[in-house]
Amino acid sequence: MAVGYVAGINRYRPPAPTSTVPLTSTEPPYHKTGLANLEAAWADFVDIVGEENVSTKEGDLQYHSGSEWSSYTTKPNEKPFLVVFPSTTEEVSQIAKVCHDRRIPITAYSGGTSLEGHFSATRGGICMDFRRMDKILKLHKDDLDVIVQPALGWEYLNEELAKDGLFFPPDPGPGAQIGGMVGTGCSGTNAYRYGTIREWVISLTVVLADGTVIRTRQRPRKSSAGYDLTRTFIGSEGTLGLVTEATLKVTVKPKSESVAVASFPTVRDAAECVAKVVGEGIPIAAIEVLDDVQMKCINDAGSTSREWKEMPTLFFKFTGTPSGVKEQIAQVQRLAKAKGSKTFDFAKNTEEAQELWSARKEALWSVMAKRRDESDHVWTTDVAVPISRLPDIIEETKEDMAKSGLLAAMVGHVGDGNFHAIILFNDSERFTAEAVVHRMVKRAVEMEGTVTGEHGVGLIKRDYLAHELGQTTVDAMRKLKEAFDPLCILNCDKVVRAEIPKAKEVKAW
């Protein structure tokens, strides 16, 4: 007893009386991931959710460790000991209490579509999969809000909302679910008109690291009551708490919608057209760019019903009244022509609009279809810059990717200065791919942009944060992490480092 007491006292560190936590003042997280402790936790979880909802199958463990579309390559030891499937906030709370008491790391999982290593189990422990929490709990049509669980897909949500003439604007990649969308602070093609998910979350129910359950707000559209904890958790990537419910704003579905597609001689011409459209304040719903490489990949994949010009192409989405949509199309067509567009096609009905927009949603999958063999990987990353610098960064990045010799496509939500690179590479080409991404990120920061517009930080982008925001800002984030999760059991190592990196682990700026 005395030995255990002394060991506990020696491990205790009183909170530092500083406003930030520099990495040099931290100690490595202390977790208990020995087999005996994990097996005892398994029994606890069985009592909470039932044995059928706790899995130690190797296939499940591998599936919850990473994905073929993630830019992070999961190490062999980075997998959970088990996966647990809760169905209620109370079960999540009980599981968190067990993990807190036993000092077992938790990695949250919903749709698994994230791209920057967000759910890699760097410290082992357990994975909490929310798939059983996938319901629409309550729609308040008169208030234009809906309460949902974290494993609800945004596509299914919109199918249900459409029955009442409503929709939820954030539209990231196919398969994304509300919990992960909140965690990464996602947006999508509609962000130019409607903003990111931050503008569409009213309130969250969150389970904290020790099992405490909090609700960040009630349901009014505005509130000045206390700290804005809702937005503190949005974009926190499961490092501060586990979201079990979200109250979301919804809006009325537009009366009319159409799509237009314009091709250009160069990607800079396309980017300059975007800047002109934005500068003239035309209220369109979305502006997307796909470069010539991306358009060729879509043609080669044969995943859409038409053959596309293999040139840099802008995709425009228009919403509003029928007369307003017609006016927007005419304005954009005039500006595109002035910037050298070679073609301008617009949809004449709903079916044509869906056909034209389908190419944009096939971007990632069409590049992945170009893999030469099973050893090929795909690196998908994003940055964002002020709109005036968009033509510069797109042109420079395009030239850099072409010089690399890699199959590298460009696609993005350029109406708000955000674009993506999708790069195909094998193990021998990894260094080249890393260098291309590094220069792209550095370019964005030097243009007063951000290292990620919507994918989130995860493991890949964490060491770039200090260059974008300053080291003291990152240290303040680490203080926040320490306050909410003092044992560092929630998605450890993501967003901010938990311990000093090894030599040569961080790429030189």
Side-chain angles (χ1 to χ4, degrees):
M1 180 70 176
V3 173
Y5 174 78
V6 171
I9 290 296
N10 289 340
R11 284 199 178 278
Y12 174 73
R13 289 185 301 120
T18 55
S19 299
T20 63
V21 179
L23 193 56
T24 52
S25 71
T26 64
E27 293 182 8
Y30 171 59
H31 299 139
K32 295 181 178 179
T33 53
L35 186 59
N37 194 41
L38 291 169
E39 288 179 340
W42 175 89
D44 293 335
F45 301 146
V46 167
D47 288 342
I48 296 168
V49 300
E51 187 171 351
E52 69 278 11
N53 294 309
V54 183
S55 175
T56 55
K57 295 177 182 177
E58 184 62 26
D60 282 341
L61 305 185
Q62 293 291 346
Y63 181 80
H64 289 82
S65 299
S67 69
E68 60 181 346
W69 50 82
S70 175
S71 53
Y72 178 75
T73 301
T74 304
K75 298 178 177 65
N77 64 320
E78 293 179 340
K79 65 180 181 180
F81 173 75
L82 60 80
V83 184
V84 61
F85 303 91
S87 63
T88 66
T89 295
E90 178 57 29
E91 287 180 356
V92 174
S93 173
Q94 290 179 42
I95 293 166
K97 287 175 182 176
V98 169
C99 290
H100 189 265
D101 291 345
R102 293 185 176 279
R103 300 183 81 113
I104 295 173
I106 304 171
T107 305
Y109 185 99
S110 53
T113 60
S114 57
L115 298 163
E116 306 285 1
H118 292 87
F119 59 90
S120 292
T122 54
R123 306 280 172 157
I126 72 158
C127 176
M128 193 182 299
D129 186 325
F130 289 95
R131 69 177 60 177
R132 296 173 67 212
M133 299 177 68
D134 61 351
K135 297 175 181 61
I136 297 173
L137 299 178
K138 181 72 174 177
L139 172 63
H140 302 101
K141 288 188 285 188
D142 292 340
D143 297 324
L144 291 178
D145 71 57
V146 62
I147 303 173
V148 304
Q149 292 182 311
L152 180 72
W154 67 271
E155 294 150 305
Y156 177 74
L157 173 61
N158 273 327
E159 287 175 12
E160 293 299 303
L161 291 174
K163 297 173 183 177
D164 292 292
L166 305 173
F167 90 115
F168 176 64
D171 62 334
Q177 297 175 357
I178 298 300
M181 292 165 65
V182 169
T184 56
C186 83
S187 50
T189 64
N190 288 328
Y192 173 63
R193 173 73 173 271
Y194 293 100
T196 73
I197 198 168
R198 294 176 190 276
E199 286 74 59
W200 293 90
V201 179
I202 296 172
S203 173
L204 297 170
T205 299
V206 182
V207 174
L208 301 182
D210 66 354
T212 301
V213 180
I214 66 169
R215 189 180 179 197
T216 61
R217 279 280 187 268
Q218 299 237 63
R219 287 196 304 113
R221 286 299 179 105
K222 60 189 290 188
S223 172
S224 293
Y227 297 127
D228 191 350
L229 292 180
T230 306
R231 278 155 188 77
T232 298
F233 287 105
I234 297 173
S236 66
E237 303 183 12
T239 64
L240 303 181
L242 304 165
V243 174
T244 59
E245 286 182 17
T247 303
L248 309 173
K249 298 177 189 176
V250 298
T251 190
V252 177
K253 207 171 181 185
K255 290 182 171 59
S256 183
E257 183 176 293
S258 189
V259 171
V261 177
S263 59
F264 294 82
T266 70
V267 73
R268 186 177 186 93
D269 293 328
E272 287 179 347
C273 178
V274 172
K276 193 67 176 173
V277 170
V278 172
E280 296 228 353
I282 302 172
I284 60 180
I287 315 176
E288 300 289 302
V289 69
L290 280 68
D291 73 354
D292 55 320
V293 175
Q294 181 64 76
M295 297 308 294
K296 184 177 187 329
C297 289
I298 290 171
N299 278 341
D300 291 347
S303 52
T304 63
S305 58
R306 61 178 288 172
E307 189 80 9
W308 302 88
K309 292 280 188 183
E310 293 175 2
M311 302 171 67
T313 303
L314 290 179
F315 289 72
F316 300 92
K317 186 187 288 184
F318 308 91
T319 58
T321 63
S323 61
V325 166
K326 287 181 180 178
E327 183 181 355
Q328 293 169 31
I329 291 173
Q331 290 174 307
V332 170
Q333 186 172 19
R334 172 178 56 82
L335 294 175
K337 186 176 181 180
K339 283 298 176 182
S341 68
K342 296 299 182 183
T343 61
F344 190 93
D345 300 318
F346 61 90
K348 298 175 180 62
N349 53 51
T350 302
E351 290 72 25
E352 286 188 14
Q354 291 173 345
E355 177 192 47
L356 290 176
W357 199 253
S358 66
R360 170 60 188 91
K361 287 298 185 181
E362 291 297 324
L364 173 59
W365 314 115
S366 66
V367 175
M368 290 180 67
K370 302 286 283 185
R371 287 183 295 186
R372 295 157 290 193
D373 54 50
E374 291 301 312
S375 68
D376 272 354
H377 312 285
V378 65
W379 192 315
T380 307
T381 193
D382 82 312
V383 296
V385 295
I387 196 70
S388 63
R389 299 307 308 271
L390 183 67
D392 298 327
I393 192 168
I394 280 187
E395 183 177 53
E396 292 174 26
T397 303
K398 174 70 175 171
E399 291 174 356
D400 194 17
M401 292 194 305
K403 290 176 184 175
S404 73
L406 301 173
L407 176 63
M410 185 179 291
V411 59
H413 319 308
V414 286
D416 52 11
N418 180 207
F419 77 97
H420 310 251
I422 308 174
I423 304 170
L424 205 65
F425 65 98
N426 59 31
D427 290 338
S428 67
E429 297 165 329
R430 174 172 285 279
F431 179 80
T432 303
E434 287 178 348
V436 169
V437 172
H438 178 77
R439 289 190 293 269
M440 173 179 163
V441 171
K442 185 175 182 182
R443 215 173 276 127
V445 171
E446 290 173 346
M447 292 183 183
E448 299 181 88
T450 178
V451 303
T452 175
E454 62 179 13
H455 287 180
V457 175
L459 292 167
I460 297 294
K461 296 285 183 71
R462 60 186 175 174
D463 294 319
Y464 290 125
L465 283 182
H467 297 289
E468 177 185 339
L469 304 171
Q471 189 58 58
T472 53
T473 303
V474 176
D475 295 343
M477 292 181 183
R478 192 173 291 107
K479 183 76 170 184
L480 190 65
K481 166 70 171 172
E482 189 178 88
F484 277 105
D485 181 19
L487 301 184
C488 199
I489 63 171
L490 295 179
N491 213 12
C492 190
D493 301 309
K494 317 301 168 27
V495 184
V496 295
R497 282 189 177 272
E499 61 181 297
I500 296 171
K502 299 179 179 66
K504 298 183 179 180
E505 191 177 339
V506 178
K507 196 173 185 70
W509 183 245

